[in-house]
Amino acid sequence: MTPWLRRSPPLLAVLGSLSLAAPARAQDAAAAEELFNRGLADMEAGRYETGCKALAESEQLDPQPGTLFTLAMCEARWGRIATAVTHLGNYLSWVDRMTPALRARQGERPSAARVERDRLSPRVPRLALSLPPGAPAGTVVTRDGNRLGAAALGVALPVDPGEHRVSTQAPGGPIWEQRITIVEGETKTLTLEIKEAPPSEAPAPTPVPAPSAPDPLAQQPTPTPPAPEPAPPPAGRRTAMYVAGGVGAAGVVVGGLMGALVLGKKSIVDQHCGSAIGAGDEKACDATGIDAAKSGNTMALVSTIGFGVGLAGLGAAAVLYLTEPKAAGPAIGAAPTWVSAGVLQVGPTGAVLGARGSF
């Protein structure tokens, strides 16, 4: 076993004082010691994969220069020369920051690290990945699961020999993946492919059902007859006819009543005046006869006027009726036009005529 690969308790005490990181907790230091011993044993037995992983975990729990140097040597024997060169460079940078006294305690490790780094560096392969022209903005590029930034694209970066998995994914598109193999000392440039998102499909139009044919056996609704139009209002001619007829009838009635009252007054005059009233001599009459004579004269005048007005009104109504143009019958449901005429008031000195109706 190479002496500088062992992490003995005395060496750990020295390296602990040389560490530039914060002191590890006691349980982390104990776990790191156990992982270091197991990793070193697997490394010397040729089980580089398990040995290097144990050494890497020990370095994470309790960073020590001796552990980092041993991990670099394990990676170099495993064939991961790019990773080994990186660890050797970090170890030498750590040593350069030590004081001369502490650096002297590292023994032959710095010299061995430089020799190994110079031997492996020319053999490190390099891989340049680039996107095709017109690649969508925001396309993600990964190498072995690690995302590469825009500055890393198109640059020949050091990688370990062997197989590598690269992939691309455009925004909203599927992942395109490829596996490539690279050997020691090789430089390879690869233009990646991109699978763009499929065009969005327009939704299919909703089918519109065709109108169904009418069923001849189905009962069809009975059409509703249109409502009759309202009859036009009576013309002014007919209104005048109704008014004239009503006034004429009232005049005849008044004339007849006044005539009957005159006959009653005449009997009173005959009783209180004798035959003088016929000669117009009022001196032979008493007061009752004189009043009856005056009232009889007034009523006789009213009767005459009433008969005259009545005959004139009835004649006018007859003329209007006979000369009216004939039209269609009245509309169904129309209210009839009517006129009512009569005597509103009868007194000893006369009568008041009136008429009312609906047109």
Side-chain angles (χ1 to χ4, degrees), residues 168-211:
T168 59
Q169 184 177 19
I175 297 177
W176 174 87
E177 186 174 286
Q178 180 181 358
R179 295 180 180 271
I180 60 174
T181 302
I182 193 169
V183 297
E184 292 186 7
E186 181 182 10
T187 299
K188 182 175 290 187
T189 301
L190 179 64
T191 300
L192 305 175
E193 298 182 14
I194 299 175
K195 290 185 178 181
E196 297 186 4
S200 58
E201 298 181 358
T206 303
V208 179

Side-chain angles (χ1 to χ4, degrees), residues 233-243 320:
R237 182 186 184 91
R238 176 161 293 189
T239 302
M241 179 185 68
Y242 292 148
V243 172
L320 292 173

Side-chain angles (χ1 to χ4, degrees), residues 195-315:
K195 290 185 178 181
E196 297 186 4
S200 58
E201 298 181 358
T206 303
V208 179
S212 58
D215 187 359
L217 300 180
Q219 183 178 1
Q220 300 297 329
T222 303
T224 304
E229 296 181 358
R237 182 186 184 91
R238 176 161 293 189
T239 302
M241 179 185 68
Y242 292 148
V243 172
V247 172
V252 172
V253 172
V254 171
L257 292 175
M258 290 298 104
L261 293 175
V262 168
L263 294 177
K265 294 295 182 179
K266 184 178 182 301
S267 62
I268 297 174
V269 172
D270 291 342
Q271 293 176 3
H272 293 274
C273 295
S275 59
I277 191 170
D281 186 4
E282 295 181 356
K283 294 180 179 181
C285 298
D286 56 14
T288 301
I290 293 173
D291 291 337
K294 291 181 178 180
S295 298
N297 292 333
T298 302
M299 292 178 182
L301 178 62
V302 172
S303 177
T304 302
I305 295 173
F307 279 116
V309 173
L311 293 176
L314 293 175

